[in-house]
Amino acid sequence: MRLSTVACRAVLAVAAFPLLAEAQGTGPKMAYVNTQALLASAPGRAEAEAAFEKEMTGLRSQVQKLSDSLTALQEAFTKEEGT
């Protein structure tokens, strides 16, 4: 019973907050942030992107080698399974 009373009070306090702010003359403030533009103009973005691409090139080749190896093993297993 005590928990529900505390919960009701908390809900009422949260619900009343916008009304209190409006009574003071300050309504809720909202803004739009264009994160894409911020990231595009960030200092060091080009260098970071180049370093990332350099790392990814090595990782992509490694993944391709592992994929080719797995495919070869699967084909060998399929041939042996058939005999």
Side-chain angles (χ1 to χ4, degrees):
M1 183 71 176
R2 181 175 172 91
L3 181 60
S4 64
T5 304
V6 172
C8 286
R9 287 182 183 172
V11 168
L12 288 174
V14 170
F17 182 74
L19 297 174
L20 292 173
E22 192 173 313
Q24 293 175 355
T26 59
K29 295 182 181 179
M30 300 174 77
Y32 172 76
V33 178
N34 187 350
T35 56
Q36 194 171 20
L38 283 175
L39 291 176
S41 65
R45 181 202 57 85
E47 294 84 9
E49 191 172 337
F52 175 75
E53 285 300 322
K54 184 178 177 184
E55 272 188 48
M56 287 304 296
T57 301
L59 290 174
R60 285 184 190 115
S61 66
Q62 188 177 10
V63 167
Q64 185 61 46
K65 287 177 187 176
L66 291 170
S67 177
D68 293 343
S69 174
L70 183 60
T71 302
L73 288 170
Q74 184 179 13
E75 288 173 357
F77 177 74
T78 304
K79 283 182 183 178
E80 284 185 23
E81 186 181 36
T83 58

